[in-house]
Amino acid sequence: MSTTSPARDITYAAAVFLALTVFLVSLGYLAVRLGGRPTHPKTRYRIFIISIFLVTLLMFRSAQSLGPVDGLVLLVITIGLLFYIGRRSY
């Protein structure tokens, strides 16, 4: 019990999920640029929302605490945010 440090393990997990978020956002920008479209503010928000959704989904799955209802709530919140960004004027 004295050989493990929960604070160190949490730091590793946070670093991995932060790196995954940066990777997904960069991958989203790359996909948009390869598609030949410019990156508008709406597109940037969508990339960020989808990346955060995927990372949150993976965090819950890795903690084995994502039930069907939790996944559905997370999906509804994400769809609501994407709908809100689509209707918002800039």
Side-chain angles (χ1 to χ4, degrees), residues 6-21 55 59 62:
R8 189 182 64 191
D9 294 338
I10 289 173
T11 305
Y12 288 145
V16 166
F17 286 123
L18 180 66
L20 179 64
T21 303
V55 169
M59 286 171 65
S62 68

Side-chain angles (χ1 to χ4, degrees), residues 2-5 9 17-18 23 27 36 40-41 45 55 60 69 74 79 82:
S2 65
T3 60
T4 61
S5 171
D9 294 338
F17 286 123
L18 180 66
F23 174 73
L27 189 66
H40 297 292
Y45 285 128
V55 169
F60 281 134
V69 175
L74 185 62
I79 290 171
L82 289 172

Side-chain angles (χ1 to χ4, degrees), residues 43-55:
T43 307
R44 280 183 249 151
Y45 285 128
R46 286 181 179 166
I47 290 170
F48 189 70
I49 288 170
I50 291 170
S51 298
I52 294 297
F53 166 72
L54 290 173
V55 169

Side-chain angles (χ1 to χ4, degrees), residues 61-79:
R61 290 295 296 173
S62 68
Q64 297 177 352
S65 63
L66 184 68
V69 175
D70 300 327
L72 184 63
V73 168
L74 185 62
L75 185 65
V76 167
I77 290 172
T78 303
I79 290 171

Side-chain angles (χ1 to χ4, degrees), residues 18-36:
L18 180 66
L20 179 64
T21 303
V22 170
F23 174 73
L24 288 174
V25 169
S26 298
L27 189 66
Y29 278 115
L30 179 66
V32 169
R33 296 298 288 185
L34 286 177

